[in-house]
Amino acid sequence: MSDKITLVVRFRMKESAKKEFTAKMRDIFAHIVKEKTFVQASLVQDMRDPKNILIYEVWNESPESFMKNQMSRAYRAGFEKMIVDLKIDRTPAWYSTIAEWTRA
């Protein structure tokens, strides 16, 4: 099995929480982009339901090593607290790549 994983996290929140959530995401990704095993990420919003936001992250790690190495980073503590404080619903899912396409 490859150590390349995709983490998709669905966040559901009140409209009033989106500004703080997005600002905190920008702050945390200022650190994440410097991580050796980080590949790419996108933050997207459902066009029909703006309270539904997804983060799509690609890492050169296994789910186990990600949880051990990445979730313990000090810069994540404020984000984790915000999730609880703003009562944001979070649903993570791990994916492995079975095929890839890029523009020629």
Side-chain angles (χ1 to χ4, degrees), residues 47-96:
M47 294 172 70
R48 288 179 279 164
D49 183 4
K51 296 177 186 172
N52 196 18
I53 295 176
L54 294 176
I55 183 88
Y56 173 96
E57 302 175 33
V58 179
W59 292 84
N60 285 323
E61 293 207 45
S62 68
E64 297 78 17
S65 67
F66 177 89
M67 293 305 291
K68 178 183 173 189
N69 300 327
Q70 300 304 325
M71 292 306 291
S72 62
R73 300 283 195 236
Y75 61 78
R76 290 186 180 266
F79 180 77
E80 293 299 316
K81 182 179 181 328
M82 180 202 63
I83 295 292
V84 173
D85 291 347
L86 295 179
K87 298 180 173 96
I88 296 174
D89 180 45
R90 171 173 51 183
T91 307
W94 297 105
Y95 294 87
S96 60

Side-chain angles (χ1 to χ4, degrees), residues 20-65:
E20 184 175 348
F21 173 84
T22 303
K24 187 62 83 173
M25 277 293 204
R26 291 183 201 287
D27 290 346
I28 195 171
F29 271 90
H31 297 280
I32 289 174
V33 297
K34 298 172 188 171
E35 295 289 348
K36 183 179 176 184
T37 58
F38 174 76
V39 177
Q40 71 181 53
S42 296
L43 184 65
V44 296
Q45 176 178 279
D46 187 322
M47 294 172 70
R48 288 179 279 164
D49 183 4
K51 296 177 186 172
N52 196 18
I53 295 176
L54 294 176
I55 183 88
Y56 173 96
E57 302 175 33
V58 179
W59 292 84
N60 285 323
E61 293 207 45
S62 68
E64 297 78 17
S65 67

